Amino acid sequence: MANNSNSYFNQVPQIQFEGSASTNPYAFKYYNPEEKIGGKTMEEQLRFSVAYWHTLTQDASDPFGAGTAQRPWDHFSGMDLAKARVEAAFEFIEKVQSPFFCFHDIDIAPEGSNLKETNQNIDTIVAMIKDYMKTSDVKLLWNTANMFTHQRFVSGAGTSSNAHTYAHAAAKVKKGLEVGKELGAENYVFWGGREGYESLLNTDMKLEFDNLGRFYHMALDYAKEINFDTQFLIEPKPKEPTTHQYDFDVATATSFLYQYGLQDHFKFNIEANHATLAGHTFEHELRTARISGMLGSVDANQGDPLLGWDTDEFPTDLYSATLAMYEILKNGGLGRGGLNFDAKIRRGSFKPEDLFHAHIAGMDSFAVGLKVANKMIEDKFFENIVEERYKTFNDEIGKKIVEGTTNFHELEKHAMEHGEIDHASGHLEKIKAGINQYLLRVNEL
Amino acid sequence: MANNSNSYFNQVPQIQFEGSASTNPYAFKYYNPEEKIGGKTMEEQLRFSVAYWHTLTQDASDPFGAGTAQRPWDHFSGMDLAKARVEAAFEFIEKVQSPFFCFHDIDIAPEGSNLKETNQNIDTIVAMIKDYMKTSDVKLLWNTANMFTHQRFVSGAGTSSNAHTYAHAAAKVKKGLEVGKELGAENYVFWGGREGYESLLNTDMKLEFDNLGRFYHMALDYAKEINFDTQFLIEPKPKEPTTHQYDFDVATATSFLYQYGLQDHFKFNIEANHATLAGHTFEHELRTARISGMLGSVDANQGDPLLGWDTDEFPTDLYSATLAMYEILKNGGLGRGGLNFDAKIRRGSFKPEDLFHAHIAGMDSFAVGLKVANKMIEDKFFENIVEERYKTFNDEIGKKIVEGTTNFHELEKHAMEHGEIDHASGHLEKIKAGINQYLLRVNEL
Amino acid sequence: MANNSNSYFNQVPQIQFEGSASTNPYAFKYYNPEEKIGGKTMEEQLRFSVAYWHTLTQDASDPFGAGTAQRPWDHFSGMDLAKARVEAAFEFIEKVQSPFFCFHDIDIAPEGSNLKETNQNIDTIVAMIKDYMKTSDVKLLWNTANMFTHQRFVSGAGTSSNAHTYAHAAAKVKKGLEVGKELGAENYVFWGGREGYESLLNTDMKLEFDNLGRFYHMALDYAKEINFDTQFLIEPKPKEPTTHQYDFDVATATSFLYQYGLQDHFKFNIEANHATLAGHTFEHELRTARISGMLGSVDANQGDPLLGWDTDEFPTDLYSATLAMYEILKNGGLGRGGLNFDAKIRRGSFKPEDLFHAHIAGMDSFAVGLKVANKMIEDKFFENIVEERYKTFNDEIGKKIVEGTTNFHELEKHAMEHGEIDHASGHLEKIKAGINQYLLRVNEL
Amino acid sequence: MANNSNSYFNQVPQIQFEGSASTNPYAFKYYNPEEKIGGKTMEEQLRFSVAYWHTLTQDASDPFGAGTAQRPWDHFSGMDLAKARVEAAFEFIEKVQSPFFCFHDIDIAPEGSNLKETNQNIDTIVAMIKDYMKTSDVKLLWNTANMFTHQRFVSGAGTSSNAHTYAHAAAKVKKGLEVGKELGAENYVFWGGREGYESLLNTDMKLEFDNLGRFYHMALDYAKEINFDTQFLIEPKPKEPTTHQYDFDVATATSFLYQYGLQDHFKFNIEANHATLAGHTFEHELRTARISGMLGSVDANQGDPLLGWDTDEFPTDLYSATLAMYEILKNGGLGRGGLNFDAKIRRGSFKPEDLFHAHIAGMDSFAVGLKVANKMIEDKFFENIVEERYKTFNDEIGKKIVEGTTNFHELEKHAMEHGEIDHASGHLEKIKAGINQYLLRVNEL
């Protein structure tokens, strides 16, 4: 444990790996940090991160009700509360063996009565965090600026209809980059909280896009100026809180980046629940980013497919975890990114120990996903399917198509001469049965 | 095998249980018909059924494209085709070891140029089926009348805006009941194909409901008249093909049954994909029917949560299969009902062998679900959670509430005197981790 | 104006009818309270109501941001705030010429540190409201108890997993009935805020239904005991805040009422945005309730069909308003119910004057709907369409079907003898063009 | 009328403009081709087009039922049917006064037993169409190749997993470009019928994208080679028939075009119902294309927001038509594009005259939209709202932001010095009331 003397989670022991048959709720059944999978340890492959806002700051309120969360630091307020949360954070993160954490500026320190005061509060807490980090293995995966909670961001930040808000947002990102450098953050994330519109009826979409393009260029310039060597990430989301978010999904944000000459400077932070709200699977968004070389990091959570809002549940779906880990392994890992639990306990799971149960559930699920996906890659499960299905592209006219050495004349001639086309079955039902079999045999790996 | 000499699936061997490590695609990994789970054999517990329409009749067309299915009986037509399908059906059903099958009238025999001719066609095929059944163990789970494909049903059948169509529908159900009796069907199903509306703007909803109520009463009367001892089932669906289907979900159909005095004469045939289209989980619909004593049978399939139409995929999601089997076991089994694969191969899975892969995938998934759910019931996994969470209803004021012996005066007095309320956490994340652990240990059961 | 001397909306004049060409934003273009439409004044037909919570209490916060609403009473707190709101409420309601208002208990008065204190706060404000009502024409359409905001309702009220919460809820409804009687409320509404489940995995659905049935019976008993002659209403909603709300839609709640012998004691309060979240049109829910004789009152708002949560927008869609008013007129009006604006200004419409703009927009929209629907009824627009489309039910076999004097034998005989069936076209496109024409000619009415 | 002597629609008169009070169902109430709106005639502004497939070819079948459409050419078959449809097409198009039409290759001519035969069939019909066009004012808005109906396109065309299918698709597009040139088509459209995936599990997405990029480049090369001066359009759709379509929406397709260096060679054909299936409004897609200079043409229809599939209804929603026409007018019109009714009569509207009712409904709706949008532009209704809302970008720091002459240092300094930010209300409710007022006064324009 780090250098604090207070304990907020006395009742919970250090979480350790005990294996798949353990009945200890405070033990990992699958996540074994030192175990090597695919040539690296699980810790290196998974790069888990605790989200400060969901675990330390939020109170489990919802639009219809007050916060239910019972937290051992509830009796503090103001900067004392902020400090207690830092203590609790390091205790928690170390107890669940997460190598990383992430935060928004106002997760760690309260806003002051003006920007200067806010920055002073942040400086105080950043210094405290830096101090903790000296004696801890915990690292900062990424930080960001909250530009959606305060009233001033009512119509966005970098796409606000108000120039003063835009300037305020710039000041916050400037500070965020300085904090990231100070704490050695691996990445800096832009989630466009209210960058979008409530209604097109009163919106100048072109001006807002142009302003956002300029905003990102200034951010890049400033990071360069202060020699902050980080990876910039955009986190797409299609809607909520606004009716339409400009970074709807990976493809939409890619289109924006190209139109503003930013495509070489950003990768994506992909969140499962944002993918499904956009009408995509999690793995679709990961694949889309991966094949463009833009898969940067992951917000690991899950949604409820029957609900139309971001539920940010802890990820326990083993299918989703397996297919996500397949994309990540095919990407050669996450590089400077990680698996950040942008996930919150349900409003009915209000006890402090639920924070542990939830993280264990999520970490074990991705550990299973890693083991199963790695085994499938070793066996070339998907690769063999694809190889067989696309084999006509390996020679003759198919090869020419892939090499770009044919044209419509030659293709027409081929089509005229070629008789009936014999297709390979997609065998999707057999593939799904195969995935189930891999999954249910994970304990044999 | 039954008494046909032709084989349509020579290339596929008899499907047998080989266990979880088998690499034979034509073997069950989990479905072991004779294995006892929860005091009955798997065959008795699961009561699988093959859907004639998806497996023998359909061609894998979709609204944008022609049929892709390659079937060994494609060269036949008319009544010869119908007869070939019967031969193929019994070969297929026996090879996949399904104890039951189901059909609509026009799945088994082509429509003639008028009702009389159609009924003659049906009679011919029913006689042939009956003959096959004499030497086979295959039984008829249910039959029904297709009252949605022909143009005459453009605005429904029992809720048609046209009295002649209504009469035609009555004639078809009359015949269906006779056929069901002839073949010993366990159930008779009403799926309201076009019983609903395309638009309220030209619809007399009250008249249509009244007519449907009368239709069902006449059907009950006729079954009684011919001494057909069967179980009547309504299959809810919320939309598609019509904009609004009257049997939207279990609760909606229950409301209808009560309003027309039919609640004691019908149970439900619940389809997974229809549940999700209605905004519910599969298990929600099963539970809703179960606690009303109206869970009759199941159409086992699954949908794609990101698509807004009925995809009727073969069920491979092990979470869904487990939770469904939990409801079914808590129901004391399915009684006269069964698990009918109202599921179709994907349009890209067009080879005959895909029909086997798909059924194996579905049967193994439900076998896993059965084993896991049964183990969880033996361990009182969910029961202990509920017992703990609702314990305040076991004595004092809680007991009075449950026994119905209190009133608002006493409850107010209790509330005034009782201090802060101490809630039990719902521990949902811990529960989900527990389910994963049960699932991944199925091979140890 | 009522007997308060303070003004909170000095800058806004009394709203008056000025006609369709008026350019005054603070005037009605269509709502003319004294104008007679269909034999009654618009005021009598529409029975508008202001929702206390959205207009007086809420602050325009959302799950991602702080409240933006700028309200002239923001400087008050505690009971002073509650009193200021009453003053502002009567000023507002009278200025927009709404004959009714509605509230939840804690909209009007803050919760105390215990139930007794809370009830005292309520009593103080109820006395103040009653005093205002003496010199005002404003009446109470309905009141209700908020049983979802406080932590104690984390798992519901009448369906809570905790008996003490159940008792607390009973005490609140008891008080609510007393307050309703005191202020002469026309209706008492149950919206099941958290009556539902977050997950089936830890829920005893049967016990929760049984408890809710007992709760309603006790409420009926108590209202009778205190001679409170009111109309009880259930307000269906399918989801949000819980994953599944038990009163999913009109049909679902009807099923519940029948199963617990309550069907003669409740009608429905139907909200447009709840209808669309359930997968229905507003008019579908109104029709479903109407033909069961259970259309009680309306929460007038609208949703965004592309968003999956309750946006509670002010109703401005003239198609929806017209079709809603058609159902209401066919119902013979709303009886003791009304059109309550359960609608909130957008978070970006944070000025006090936006409250007026929003109500004017909503009232004018329903006034247009009333005028158009009434004209269509006078012209028998829909009635003629239905008459033509269902004409085969007027004689011969059709008449027998409707009269219930036929059977499957006779219907089969008719079907055998009847040749091809000649259907009437549904002409939906022509009908929609007709509706547009009626709508665009409203200024000529 | 053109040079055919047969009439298929004798019972329907030539459709003429009669004004808003007309009770003649076979007359326009708003579409007056010669009336000038915004400096051009309605005919020039709206550039209506009839979709050959929905009006001449389709039979109103759906996935659950046979075709219901009653067409005067039903007794023909093969090439005779194709020729009869050409005769009927010109009669229809001229009777509804549509200046344009559109088709897929196999809408106009049946597929032969091989590609050569198919092309011969096409040549025969193209010659006939060309002949008709000589004596008619009707022009070809666009043509395209159907690459989704035949079994060979089971897994796409330009993104097929089969090289022979790819070649076949190339041959079809080659022919399509030749036909387009022959008939003077203004545009050539790519709607990626099955360009997407059924499941990621067996898909090589990167290869498919690369192949599609190469396909488009070859198409551009060939059009250049044959001197076919046309405008290339991509028509986005998010799903259906495939689970995921690669051209999900305008932004997604734009990202693709940039990644493959194609952004200067394509514009978009935007369909309303495809927009809503993607989670966007129609006007959002139009705006997104417009501000990128890529708004090419429009498929005018509408969907049902409560259904999850493409319903292709005739457009009658006046809000949608008005906001679409606003975008089109702000775009300076549609250039070489048009408003193509990619819309089908409901299955219940099966009479030939319903084709007229439907087109009249759609044309009148867009005529209303044009008149209202033009008036709003003349009054600078939206422009004034935007001007007021964004006014802080007109000088000082705002001007520097827009001009790109500031940086994070200066913006931080401004934010530090600037006090509380005063936002303008978005006034959305007032705006919506304003739109209603404009709409209801259209008869005064």
Side-chain angles (χ1 to χ4, degrees), chain D residues 254-274:
Chain D
T254 301
S255 168
F256 172 82
L257 292 174
Y258 269 93
Q259 294 197 57
Y260 290 90
L262 291 158
Q263 69 273 18
D264 297 332
H265 304 285
F266 283 86
K267 290 189 173 182
F268 290 104
N269 183 41
I270 294 171
E271 176 170 331
N273 203 160
H274 294 180

Side-chain angles (χ1 to χ4, degrees), chain D residues 170-391:
Chain D
K172 288 190 62 141
V173 172
K174 179 170 175 293
K175 183 69 181 173
L177 295 172
E178 293 159 5
V179 166
K181 182 177 156 77
E182 175 76 5
L183 296 178
E186 299 269 357
N187 311 269
Y188 187 86
V189 167
F190 287 98
W191 170 57
R194 295 189 195 271
E195 313 292 24
Y197 60 75
E198 188 173 62
S199 168
L200 257 188
L201 298 174
N202 57 14
T203 298
D204 185 341
M205 200 158 104
K206 179 70 166 64
L207 176 62
E208 297 197 359
F209 275 136
D210 290 349
N211 281 347
L212 186 60
R214 290 186 274 262
F215 195 95
Y216 284 146
H217 277 291
M218 287 189 277
L220 292 173
D221 289 346
Y222 188 69
K224 198 171 169 187
E225 179 186 332
I226 63 170
N227 289 314
F228 178 29
D229 170 34
T230 194
Q231 176 172 269
F232 280 93
L233 300 174
I234 285 177
E235 179 179 326
K237 188 180 182 187
K239 58 187 89 173
E240 196 204 29
T242 74
T243 303
H244 175 85
Q245 307 268 129
Y246 289 140
D247 296 325
F248 193 86
D249 56 10
V250 167
T252 302
T254 301
S255 168
F256 172 82
L257 292 174
Y258 269 93
Q259 294 197 57
Y260 290 90
L262 291 158
Q263 69 273 18
D264 297 332
H265 304 285
F266 283 86
K267 290 189 173 182
F268 290 104
N269 183 41
I270 294 171
E271 176 170 331
N273 203 160
H274 294 180
T276 50
L277 284 174
H280 308 306
T281 58
F282 186 18
E283 55 270 23
H284 169 86
E285 286 290 88
L286 293 168
R287 177 80 63 96
T288 301
R290 170 165 75 84
I291 64 176
S292 297
M294 294 167 107
L295 172 50
S297 196
V298 170
D299 266 13
N301 65 13
Q302 70 186 26
D304 183 325
L306 297 175
L307 300 181
W309 62 91
D310 200 18
T311 61
D312 278 348
E313 299 172 27
F314 273 86
T316 59
D317 186 295
L318 298 174
Y319 293 111
S320 181
T322 298
L323 294 176
M325 287 314 304
Y326 174 79
E327 297 297 333
I328 289 167
L329 290 173
K330 295 294 280 191
N331 194 55
L334 283 169
R336 300 183 72 168
L339 288 172
N340 176 51
F341 288 110
D342 189 359
K344 62 186 177 199
I345 46 86
R346 297 304 83 198
R347 197 167 175 271
S349 304
F350 41 73
K351 297 282 186 189
E353 58 263 34
D354 286 312
L355 293 171
F356 287 90
H357 295 317
H359 279 82
I360 293 168
M363 292 164 89
D364 270 343
S365 296
F366 271 89
V368 169
L370 168 62
K371 294 181 83 166
V372 176
N374 182 65
K375 174 67 174 161
M376 292 175 102
I377 288 173
E378 285 176 0
D379 293 354
K380 294 185 191 267
F381 178 79
F382 290 118
E383 290 69 15
N384 288 339
I385 290 163
V386 164
E387 176 61 25
E388 170 67 17
R389 201 164 166 247
Y390 292 83
K391 67 183 170 201

Side-chain angles (χ1 to χ4, degrees), chain C residues 77-324:
Chain C
S77 69
M79 284 297 282
D80 288 340
L81 174 57
K83 289 173 185 170
R85 281 175 174 149
V86 174
E87 292 171 351
F90 276 82
E91 183 185 354
F92 181 85
I93 299 167
E94 292 174 353
K95 272 199 174 164
V96 294
Q97 295 205 50
S98 172
F100 292 100
F101 71 116
C102 299
F103 63 78
H104 304 79
D105 46 6
I106 63 169
D107 298 332
I108 59 166
E111 282 206 78
S113 58
N114 56 45
L115 188 53
K116 197 177 156 195
E117 225 175 279
T118 301
N119 284 354
Q120 284 167 349
N121 290 348
I122 292 172
D123 288 339
T124 303
I125 300 298
V126 165
M128 185 178 169
I129 290 175
K130 192 170 184 183
D131 203 40
Y132 266 76
M133 289 173 80
K134 283 180 191 156
T135 56
S136 168
D137 292 332
V138 173
K139 293 178 291 294
L140 183 59
L141 186 66
W142 50 261
N143 66 313
T144 186
N146 175 319
M147 305 196 290
F148 47 91
T149 296
H150 194 278
Q151 292 87 338
R152 76 176 68 89
F153 300 115
V154 61
S155 62
T159 65
S160 176
S161 55
N162 189 301
H164 308 300
T165 295
Y166 185 98
H168 196 102
K172 287 191 64 145
V173 173
K174 178 172 177 289
K175 183 68 182 175
L177 295 172
E178 293 159 5
V179 166
K181 181 178 157 80
E182 176 73 7
L183 295 178
E186 298 269 357
N187 310 269
Y188 187 86
V189 167
F190 287 98
W191 170 58
R194 295 189 194 272
E195 313 292 24
Y197 59 75
E198 188 172 61
S199 168
L200 258 188
L201 298 175
N202 58 15
T203 297
D204 185 341
M205 199 158 104
K206 178 72 165 64
L207 176 62
E208 296 197 359
F209 275 137
D210 290 349
N211 281 348
L212 186 61
R214 290 185 274 263
F215 195 96
Y216 284 146
H217 277 291
M218 286 189 278
L220 291 173
D221 290 347
Y222 188 70
K224 196 170 173 188
E225 179 186 332
I226 64 171
N227 290 313
F228 178 29
D229 169 34
T230 195
Q231 177 171 270
F232 280 93
L233 301 173
I234 285 177
E235 180 179 327
K237 188 181 182 187
K239 57 188 90 174
E240 197 205 29
T242 73
T243 303
H244 176 85
Q245 307 267 131
Y246 289 139
D247 296 326
F248 193 86
D249 57 10
V250 167
T252 303
T254 301
S255 168
F256 171 84
L257 292 173
Y258 269 93
Q259 294 197 56
Y260 289 91
L262 291 158
Q263 69 272 19
D264 296 333
H265 305 287
F266 283 86
K267 289 189 174 180
F268 289 105
N269 183 42
I270 294 171
E271 177 171 331
N273 204 160
H274 293 180
T276 50
L277 283 174
H280 309 306
T281 59
F282 186 19
E283 56 269 23
H284 169 86
E285 286 290 89
L286 293 167
R287 176 81 62 96
T288 302
R290 170 165 75 85
I291 65 177
S292 297
M294 293 168 109
L295 172 50
S297 196
V298 170
D299 266 12
N301 66 13
Q302 69 187 27
D304 184 324
L306 298 175
L307 300 181
W309 63 90
D310 200 18
T311 61
D312 279 349
E313 299 171 29
F314 273 85
T316 59
D317 186 294
L318 298 175
Y319 294 110
S320 181
T322 298
L323 294 176

